[in-house]
Amino acid sequence: MEIIRKTDALLATVSSARERGLRIGLVPTMGALHAGHLSLVERSVAENDMTIVSVFVNPTQFNNATDLATYPRDEEHDIKLLSGAGATVVYMPSVEEVYPEGTAAAGSHVFDLGSAAEVMEGKMRPGHFQGVAQIVSRLFRLTQADVAYFGEKDFQQIAVIRNMIKSEGINIDIVACPIRRADDGLALSSRNALLSDDQRRRAPRIYETLKESVEYSKSHSVRETHHYVVSKINSVEEMEVEYFEIVDARTLLPVEEWSESPWIVGCITVYNGKVRLIDNILYRKEI
Ligand code: PAF
């Protein structure tokens, strides 16, 4: 596995791969890797000639300085895991390599991300998706990847990235991969490393409640199901729902009736102490 820190070196590797006609898969990450990331890498390795994994904590997508400062990092461990998973290249650039013009200047291009970027994470974390679009569009162009793999835990992010490639005219396939969970149901996330023992013990209540709510939704309205989830999770010590939205999975806009869309998901963000956890659940998919 080649470890590349400089963008020029990445461009040289990519151009040589292109000359050889290799199919390139990209897995963008912010490091602190876990089995969820590795499942994306393994899928890319199985489906492509070359897999590039980026490990870069992108400052422009953080709207909270403490969140950026405390984001978990473990470069050595990441390299070991990626090499074991069969990645061909790991791109681990500095902020200056990615944004040579400076992060403020990078923000002068405003991406058209559609209405999917205005709700939920877009509302709670102003500028977050513009930051995601900045880094992801750069990675797509630098790596000239044929396909990029993302985890469905960030359900909204995938919809926003699909909108971004359309509006920017970037030709790449986006593959959405299923959420990986711990044995007790907690969605794997780099942020789980920040939980105290007590918070970690309580964290599976999120998915447990979401799963129960699927059954509940069969005999209750959207509004009742919403109330069921929020009140149950808020009753757990140290937990507070930031938002829970039951949405049309295609537009990410809220639905009021189950009959409104053939594809409905519930997206949730919960503060478990100070740690912000996200998850989602499928209610209906009839398309
Ligand atoms: O999902 C993430 O880890 C990040 O948002 C991404 C896609 C790697 C961009 O920094």
Side-chain angles (χ1 to χ4, degrees), residues 28-30 58 61 132 135-136 150 154 157:
T29 82
M30 297 207 297
N58 173 39
Q61 70 188 73
V132 170
I135 181 60
V136 169
F150 294 91
D154 298 294
Q157 173 170 270

Short mmCIF file of all heavy atoms in Angstrom, two decimals, residues 28-30 58 61 132 135-136 150 154 157, ligand 1:
data_model
loop_
_atom_site.label_atom_id
_atom_site.label_comp_id
_atom_site.label_asym_id
_atom_site.label_seq_id
_atom_site.Cartn_x
_atom_site.Cartn_y
_atom_site.Cartn_z
N PRO A 28 -13.75 7.95 0.54
CA PRO A 28 -13.38 9.15 1.31
C PRO A 28 -13.68 8.93 2.80
O PRO A 28 -14.78 8.48 3.14
CB PRO A 28 -14.28 10.25 0.75
CG PRO A 28 -14.95 9.68 -0.46
CD PRO A 28 -14.97 8.19 -0.26
N THR A 29 -12.72 9.24 3.67
CA THR A 29 -12.96 9.09 5.12
C THR A 29 -12.30 10.25 5.87
O THR A 29 -11.48 10.97 5.30
CB THR A 29 -12.35 7.78 5.70
OG1 THR A 29 -10.95 7.99 5.95
CG2 THR A 29 -12.53 6.59 4.78
N MET A 30 -12.67 10.36 7.13
CA MET A 30 -11.98 11.32 8.01
C MET A 30 -11.14 10.56 9.03
O MET A 30 -10.81 11.08 10.09
CB MET A 30 -13.00 12.24 8.70
CG MET A 30 -13.75 13.10 7.68
SD MET A 30 -14.35 14.66 8.32
CE MET A 30 -15.49 14.11 9.56
N ASN A 58 -11.64 17.09 7.41
CA ASN A 58 -11.85 18.28 6.59
C ASN A 58 -12.38 19.45 7.44
O ASN A 58 -13.55 19.43 7.85
CB ASN A 58 -12.86 17.94 5.48
CG ASN A 58 -13.27 19.16 4.70
OD1 ASN A 58 -12.45 20.03 4.42
ND2 ASN A 58 -14.55 19.24 4.36
N GLN A 61 -15.94 21.44 6.89
CA GLN A 61 -17.30 20.91 7.12
C GLN A 61 -17.69 20.93 8.59
O GLN A 61 -18.77 20.47 8.95
CB GLN A 61 -17.44 19.50 6.54
CG GLN A 61 -16.68 18.41 7.26
CD GLN A 61 -16.74 17.09 6.50
OE1 GLN A 61 -16.10 16.92 5.47
NE2 GLN A 61 -17.52 16.14 6.99
N VAL A 132 -18.58 19.70 2.93
CA VAL A 132 -18.51 18.32 2.41
C VAL A 132 -18.35 18.36 0.88
O VAL A 132 -17.52 17.65 0.30
CB VAL A 132 -19.77 17.51 2.80
CG1 VAL A 132 -19.83 16.17 2.06
CG2 VAL A 132 -19.83 17.28 4.31
N ILE A 135 -14.70 19.28 -0.20
CA ILE A 135 -13.68 18.22 -0.12
C ILE A 135 -14.00 17.08 -1.08
O ILE A 135 -13.12 16.58 -1.80
CB ILE A 135 -13.49 17.71 1.33
CG1 ILE A 135 -12.40 16.64 1.39
CG2 ILE A 135 -14.76 17.16 1.95
CD1 ILE A 135 -11.05 17.08 0.94
N VAL A 136 -15.26 16.68 -1.12
CA VAL A 136 -15.60 15.51 -1.93
C VAL A 136 -15.40 15.81 -3.42
O VAL A 136 -14.86 14.99 -4.17
CB VAL A 136 -17.04 15.04 -1.60
CG1 VAL A 136 -17.52 14.00 -2.59
CG2 VAL A 136 -17.10 14.46 -0.19
N PHE A 150 -19.87 5.28 -0.04
CA PHE A 150 -20.25 6.02 1.17
C PHE A 150 -21.16 5.15 2.03
O PHE A 150 -21.96 4.35 1.50
CB PHE A 150 -21.00 7.31 0.81
CG PHE A 150 -20.14 8.31 0.09
CD1 PHE A 150 -20.07 8.31 -1.30
CD2 PHE A 150 -19.40 9.25 0.80
CE1 PHE A 150 -19.26 9.23 -1.97
CE2 PHE A 150 -18.60 10.17 0.14
CZ PHE A 150 -18.53 10.15 -1.24
N ASP A 154 -24.76 8.12 7.05
CA ASP A 154 -24.93 9.53 6.66
C ASP A 154 -25.85 9.57 5.44
O ASP A 154 -25.42 9.91 4.33
CB ASP A 154 -23.56 10.16 6.36
CG ASP A 154 -22.68 10.15 7.59
OD1 ASP A 154 -23.02 10.84 8.56
OD2 ASP A 154 -21.67 9.42 7.61
N GLN A 157 -26.12 12.84 3.61
CA GLN A 157 -24.88 13.21 2.91
C GLN A 157 -24.85 12.59 1.50
O GLN A 157 -24.44 13.23 0.54
CB GLN A 157 -23.68 12.73 3.73
CG GLN A 157 -22.35 12.91 3.03
CD GLN A 157 -21.16 12.65 3.95
OE1 GLN A 157 -20.69 13.56 4.59
NE2 GLN A 157 -20.67 11.41 4.03
O1 PAF B 1 -18.56 11.04 5.90
C1 PAF B 1 -17.43 11.51 6.14
O2 PAF B 1 -16.61 10.91 6.84
C2 PAF B 1 -17.05 12.85 5.56
O3 PAF B 1 -18.14 13.71 5.54
C3 PAF B 1 -16.40 12.75 4.17
C4 PAF B 1 -17.37 12.21 3.13
C5 PAF B 1 -15.17 11.85 4.24
C6 PAF B 1 -15.96 14.13 3.71
O4 PAF B 1 -15.04 14.70 4.57
#
